[in-house]
Amino acid sequence: FIDPALASWPWVARAALSVGILLVIIYVLGAVATNIVGRRILLLGEGVVLRLPFVKVIYSVSKQVVAAFQGRGSQAFKSVVFVEFPHPGMRSLGFVTGRIVREDGSVWSTVFVPTTPNPTTGFLQMVPQEAVVNTGYTIEEGIKMVMSLGVLTPE
């Protein structure tokens, strides 16, 4: 006499092994498709986009901006500063993105003044170096301040 629960065990083991093998095959096919076929499809699509006259410029610039912010150790923002904006007497938080030396020798900073609470939009200001006030905040503190609507301010 064989217990019915024990008699079904080999069937359960075979089914579990089959499901396990199926999952491994699906995973391997997904990895291959993502890394080999997927890259080719993306390159093909990018090639089509780069052939369109107006879209090519926008796509290229967008790709460079994303790469600047994604890169390891990226220094897209150099420092957190205050600049007079939107009118004299008012100060806005901004991020220095670069410096320009003009022909007359004066140094100007390119400052990105983000809008709150969406820091991906904002205003690009060209500000004389002497009009830029350094805050001493870290980049992380500045971003937290913008995204929290000023609630999280550094001490």
Side-chain angles (χ1 to χ4, degrees):
F1 177 77
I2 298 176
D3 184 18
L6 293 176
S8 65
W9 175 249
W11 177 85
V12 171
R14 286 193 303 267
L17 182 62
S18 297
V19 169
I21 290 172
L22 178 65
L23 290 175
V24 168
I25 289 172
I26 290 172
Y27 176 78
V28 168
L29 287 175
V32 168
T34 300
N35 293 323
I36 297 170
V37 178
R39 284 185 186 174
R40 287 190 179 166
I41 291 172
L42 284 175
L43 288 175
L44 179 66
E46 189 175 66
V48 169
V49 167
L50 290 176
R51 288 193 182 111
L52 302 171
F54 184 68
V55 177
K56 174 175 68 172
V57 174
I58 295 172
Y59 177 75
S60 298
V61 171
S62 300
K63 189 173 177 180
Q64 289 174 353
V65 169
V66 168
F69 284 102
Q70 273 185 339
R72 282 191 156 325
S74 174
Q75 294 295 324
F77 295 148
K78 312 262 186 265
S79 61
V80 182
V81 297
F82 289 126
V83 292
E84 280 193 358
F85 182 79
H87 61 78
M90 293 186 75
R91 300 278 182 193
S92 291
L93 187 88
F95 299 94
V96 174
T97 58
R99 300 214 188 309
I100 297 172
V101 178
R102 295 184 40 183
E103 291 176 4
D104 63 0
S106 62
V107 179
W108 288 59
S109 295
T110 53
V111 179
F112 175 69
V113 179
T115 56
T116 301
N118 181 6
T120 59
T121 61
F123 302 92
L124 180 64
Q125 305 285 320
M126 303 300 291
V127 183
Q129 184 63 38
E130 56 273 2
V132 173
V133 178
N134 194 356
T135 62
Y137 300 162
T138 65
I139 303 299
E140 183 179 328
E141 290 171 333
I143 292 173
K144 280 183 187 176
M145 190 171 171
V146 170
M147 292 187 73
S148 72
L149 307 172
V151 173
L152 301 176
T153 57
E155 302 209 10

